[in-house]
C-alpha cells in the first residue's frame, strides 16, 4: 500500500514554522528517508516537492541533508533526504534549504 511518508515520520505542529516532519521512532545516522524532490522543468525552481520534501523545516544546524540522485534507468533526477546524525523519537527533521532562499529571494 502507498504511503506518502516512511513509517518512521509523521507531520505535526512545528516550533520552527507551521507544520514539520517528526520522527515516530529513533532513526540512525545515514538513513535514506526517501525522495524529497523530483526534477521537472515545468515547476518553480525546476523541482516538484513530494510530501517528504514539502514538510521538513529549515535549520542552520540540520539533522538531514539533500543528496542529488539520478536514475539512468528511469532517466529522472531526484533529491533524497538522508539523516546526517542519529535522530531521536519526537525530534523534528530539519535540513538547510538549498533550492531557494527562505526569505523569498530566490
Amino acid at each position: 500500500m502507498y504511503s506518502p511518508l516512511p513509517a518512521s515520520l509523521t507531520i505535526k505542529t512545528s516550533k520552527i514554522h507551521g507544520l514539520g516532519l517528526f520522527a515516530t521512532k529513533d532513526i540512525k545516522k545515514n538513513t535514506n528517508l526517501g525522495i524529497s524532490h523530483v526534477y521537472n522543468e515545468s515547476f518553480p525552481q525546476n523541482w516538484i516537492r513530494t510530501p517528504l520534501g514539502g514538510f521538513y523545516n529549515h535549520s542552520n544546524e540540520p539533522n538531514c541533508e539533500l543528496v542529488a540522485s539520478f536514475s539512468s534507468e528511469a532517466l529522472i533526477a531526484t533529491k533524497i533526504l538522508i539523516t546526517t546524525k542519529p535522530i531521536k523519537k519526537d525530534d523534528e527533521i530539519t535540513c538547510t534549504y538549498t533550492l531557494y532562499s527562505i526569505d523569498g529571494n530566490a
Side-chain angles (χ1 to χ4, degrees), residues 23 25-27 63-64 83 85-89 91 93:
K25 62 182 185 178
D26 291 351
I27 303 171
N63 54 22
C64 292
T83 60
K85 55 182 83 169
I87 298 172
K88 296 288 187 189
K89 180 181 177 185
D91 282 354
I93 304 302

Side-chain angles (χ1 to χ4, degrees), residues 25-97:
K25 62 182 185 178
D26 291 351
I27 303 171
K28 295 179 182 179
K29 179 181 178 177
N30 296 320
T31 298
N32 178 340
L33 297 176
I35 296 172
S36 62
H37 297 75
V38 177
Y39 185 79
N40 184 308
E41 292 179 358
S42 300
F43 281 76
Q45 292 90 32
N46 299 325
W47 293 94
I48 301 167
R49 289 186 297 176
T50 68
L52 183 65
F55 286 98
Y56 69 79
N57 278 312
H58 171 81
S59 174
N60 289 328
E61 297 179 19
N63 54 22
C64 292
E65 68 180 351
L66 291 179
V67 176
S69 176
F70 180 77
S71 168
S72 57
E73 185 176 297
L75 296 176
I76 191 163
T78 60
K79 293 201 182 258
I80 309 295
L81 193 61
I82 307 286
T83 60
T84 56
K85 55 182 83 169
I87 298 172
K88 296 288 187 189
K89 180 181 177 185
D90 296 322
D91 282 354
E92 184 165 4
I93 304 302
T94 59
C95 191
T96 300
Y97 288 175

